[in-house]
Amino acid sequence: MLTPPETEPLTPEDRTLMGPGPSEVHPRVLRVMSAPLVGHLDDSFIEIMNEVQDLLRYVFQTENQWAIPVSGTGSAAMEAAFANVVEPGDTVLVPTNGYFGGRMASMAERAGGEVAYVDAPWGEPLKPAVVEDAFHQHDPDIFGFVHAETSTGALQPNVPELTDIAHEHGAYVIADSVTSLGGVEFRVDEWDIDVAYSGAQKCLSCPPGASPLTLNDRTMEKVLNRDTEVRSWYLDLSLLEGYWGDDRSYHHTAPITNIYALREALQLVAEEGLEARWERHEAMATQLKQGLEALGLELNPEDEYWLPSLNAVRIPDGIDESALLSDMQADHNLEVASGLGDLEGEIIRIGCMGYSARTSNIELVLYALEDALRNQGYEP
Ligand SMILES: *Cc1c(COP(=O)(O)O)cnc(C)c1O
């Protein structure tokens, strides 16, 4: 017999979350997560599934029939998009301007695709002319782009121009909206996006576990007429159609509690109104930006493609970034994050997402950051 480990009842830290996700969860979402479970085929749960799908169509601004929460984190919705849409031999064009374009490449490759790249420096968006050139050079079947690059704090503007280029060349467009959905303007139908996925724990302020995905009919037709089976059984949309489509038959047990949570988080978006929510994110991030500037700091991306939900702040010369982050956590119970990849050591990343995007949190970030900078002799 193994003896039980010596553990106590769990009391997690109660931190202020202002990093790149997870963001703080709204109390109403936490409350529904303590509700008892019903079965995943219970009529009352099917009603909740329908409501989640309607709410997803609203936050994505789409009339797509296909709008579902994928079981798993944002990467699961991302992999569902690439694994289903990419068939072996398809050419997939992905960006090099951040961490998540690299993840797109890995997923496309695993799905049997040939990866081609469209370049921009980390911290800058793709330029339409460069995308056009890449289309001429590689003739891709699928084009993936990241609307809000969480690793760099850069927003991709000109989305309708990019989707036009792709469609003129007969390609399908997959948009990563993990750090934009419910936080910054994002419109699936108006911008002519074929596939979009997101995550729960960024601007929707919901725990990770059930992640938004939508596909239009044209793309579902490609998916349902594949010559080869999708390599992932779990994420195969032709099988998931049985559960989320008209049949409502068993595929895998839905993460009931996460669906409750997402339902309430999306309900909160609907109550606030999508446009009001975009405006709140911008107003809160503007407070943050002004406070950072008053400290003598500057954001890494140009104003033109500043991403309110994720603020990449340049670290002044001579400041030790990891000491900065650990002081803010130790002295103020606050989480913000370091840079990644090409920007590692050059920036810190401050999220301004969902329920975390509120004045008291912004004030704490500015106060804690000033304090931590002064610990290293920095005088604003
Ligand atoms: C967080 C994130 C993901 C991955 O989501 P997980 O929930 O961590 O799996 C993908 N793309 C972007 C842009 C993200 O910020």
Side-chain angles (χ1 to χ4, degrees):
M1 271 296 277
L2 290 174
T3 54
E6 282 175 34
T7 49
E8 303 277 322
L10 181 65
T11 50
E13 299 287 344
D14 187 6
R15 299 210 199 281
T16 301
L17 298 178
M18 292 297 280
S23 58
E24 288 174 21
V25 176
H26 194 284
R28 260 174 56 187
V29 174
L30 289 176
R31 213 173 303 139
V32 298
M33 294 189 77
S34 59
L37 302 200
V38 292
H40 58 286
L41 297 173
D42 190 304
D43 285 344
S44 68
F45 191 68
I46 287 169
E47 183 58 32
I48 292 170
M49 291 166 70
N50 290 335
E51 290 167 350
V52 168
Q53 291 186 281
D54 283 342
L55 287 161
L56 284 176
R57 291 184 189 102
Y58 169 67
V59 296
F60 274 127
Q61 288 290 293
T62 184
E63 290 179 5
N64 288 345
Q65 187 198 339
W66 264 88
I68 64 165
V70 175
S71 302
T73 68
S75 303
M78 181 178 190
E79 189 137 37
F82 283 89
N84 282 274
V85 178
V86 178
E87 294 176 74
D90 279 348
T91 299
V92 187
L93 184 68
V94 301
T96 58
N97 60 343
Y99 180 86
F100 291 102
R103 187 171 293 182
M104 285 182 169
S106 307
M107 289 181 176
E109 215 160 74
R110 281 163 194 248
E114 313 276 341
V115 174
Y117 294 95
V118 51
D119 294 318
W122 276 53
E124 289 182 28
L126 298 175
K127 292 200 174 79
V130 177
V131 173
E132 179 86 62
D133 284 349
F135 265 89
H136 282 294
Q137 194 183 339
H138 303 291
D139 191 24
D141 304 286
I142 294 140
F143 166 52
F145 76 92
V146 181
H147 182 232
E149 207 1 300
T150 323
S151 62
T152 67
L155 180 75
Q156 177 65 55
N158 313 316
V159 173
E161 275 183 68
L162 303 187
T163 56
D164 275 357
I165 294 167
H167 292 143
E168 274 161 25
H169 289 81
Y172 296 83
V173 176
I174 302 179
D176 180 315
S177 63
V178 177
T179 290
S180 47
L181 192 73
V184 301
E185 183 180 9
F186 182 72
R187 302 174 188 270
V188 168
D189 285 1
E190 205 176 309
W191 293 355
D192 219 359
I193 292 164
D194 298 300
V195 182
Y197 60 83
S198 192
Q201 76 275 19
K202 312 246 170 139
C203 299
L204 298 177
S205 271
C206 182
S211 300
L213 172 69
T214 188
L215 300 88
N216 61 15
D217 286 348
R218 186 175 85 95
T219 314
M220 272 315 285
E221 208 168 296
K222 172 172 168 48
V223 170
L224 297 175
N225 288 298
R226 290 171 57 107
D227 293 332
T228 56
E229 282 187 328
V230 172
R231 290 177 185 178
S232 164
W233 177 88
Y234 194 69
L235 298 173
D236 184 340
L237 293 176
S238 71
L239 302 178
L240 283 169
E241 190 184 23
Y243 187 52
W244 287 100
D246 294 335
D247 290 355
R248 304 291 172 175
S249 57
Y250 172 71
H251 174 261
H252 67 266
T253 308
I256 311 290
T257 303
N258 290 89
I259 302 288
Y260 289 170
L262 187 62
R263 161 77 174 70
E264 194 68 0
L266 294 169
Q267 171 76 29
L268 282 159
V269 179
E271 285 173 20
E272 183 172 2
L274 203 46
E275 282 169 314
R277 195 172 171 102
W278 297 336
E279 280 163 23
R280 172 169 60 87
H281 279 76
E282 184 157 342
M284 290 299 112
T286 300
Q287 279 185 13
L288 175 67
K289 190 162 171 270
Q290 287 169 349
L292 292 166
E293 283 162 3
L295 289 174
L297 304 175
E298 54 181 48
L299 295 184
N300 189 55
E302 304 285 333
D303 277 350
E304 230 179 299
Y305 34 87
W306 166 52
L307 171 60
S309 50
L310 195 286
N311 297 272
V313 186
R314 296 202 70 82
I315 307 167
D317 286 342
I319 296 294
D320 174 353
E321 159 223 34
S322 61
L324 208 57
L325 299 182
S326 56
D327 283 2
M328 283 193 274
Q329 185 179 98
D331 300 341
H332 304 279
N333 218 2
L334 172 69
E335 177 177 293
V336 300
S338 59
L340 283 177
D342 287 8
L343 294 173
E344 196 181 333
E346 290 181 29
I347 57 166
I348 57 170
R349 294 178 299 146
I350 305 174
C352 184
M353 301 179 181
Y355 183 57
S356 285
R358 56 189 203 273
T359 300
S360 55
N361 280 17
I362 304 293
E363 284 171 350
L364 177 66
V365 168
L366 292 169
Y367 180 75
L369 185 56
E370 177 170 355
D371 195 30
L373 284 165
R374 284 185 190 277
N375 288 347
Q376 296 189 42
Y378 178 88
E379 290 293 328

